Amino acid sequence: MDTIHTTENTTDEPIAVCASDALAEGGQGVRFRVLLGQEESSAFVIRVNNGVRGYVNRCSHVPVELDWNYAQFLDDSGLHIVCATHGATYDGETGACLGGPCSGSALRALQVSEANGEVLWQPDAGVKPHPDGIED
């Protein structure tokens, strides 16, 4: 797995999460550490429909991590995120609930982009960088 870059913990500038080529279309994601409010949590980025998407790694049904193996979030189609605990299914592109116990609740999306060969995350008021760095 490519090294995750650690930067100053500021919400003013985007933070490099990984190299763009670390995310294959419909493949494994890259996890990183965040603060969700004041709580330690993780987040992830994936590539779906030729775009980078980012979400907090927490099912909207029950607050458990989604990945069924480390950084494995997508089903065989490479389009849907499936919660390993209860099978809630989410649209990989939007985070919207598609079925199962998520009952219409979406995943918490992150603002992510790509520039200069890197995947960048823009922290916001609700999800901030972990104070010890984002490397998971």
Side-chain angles (χ1 to χ4, degrees):
M1 184 170 100
D2 289 18
T3 302
I4 296 174
H5 305 282
T6 304
T7 64
E8 289 297 312
N9 294 328
T10 176
T11 58
D12 294 338
E13 297 181 22
I15 296 173
V17 174
C18 64
S20 291
D21 62 7
L23 297 177
E25 177 69 28
Q28 183 170 334
V30 171
R31 289 173 47 124
F32 57 103
R33 296 187 316 163
V34 299
L35 288 180
L36 180 60
Q38 298 300 314
E39 184 180 337
E40 291 187 18
S41 190
S42 67
F44 64 95
V45 289
I46 53 176
R47 186 176 303 281
V48 176
N49 287 330
N50 297 312
V52 174
R53 316 293 180 209
Y55 301 99
V56 172
N57 189 9
R58 180 175 287 196
C59 184
S60 68
H61 166 235
V62 175
V64 295
E65 292 188 337
L66 295 159
D67 37 350
W68 45 275
N69 280 324
Y70 185 83
Q72 296 286 333
F73 300 96
L74 298 169
D75 66 0
D76 289 341
S77 74
L79 299 173
H80 304 121
I81 299 165
V82 179
C83 175
T85 303
H86 295 112
T89 303
Y90 302 91
D91 185 301
E93 193 168 354
T94 67
C97 174
L98 298 176
C102 47
S103 300
S105 298
L107 296 176
R108 170 59 160 86
L110 303 176
Q111 183 179 337
V112 294
S113 60
E114 287 185 275
N116 301 317
E118 292 185 309
V119 175
L120 305 171
W121 163 52
Q122 179 64 59
D124 58 44
V127 184
K128 298 179 182 178
H130 191 283
D132 296 329
I134 66 169
E135 188 168 346
D136 188 41

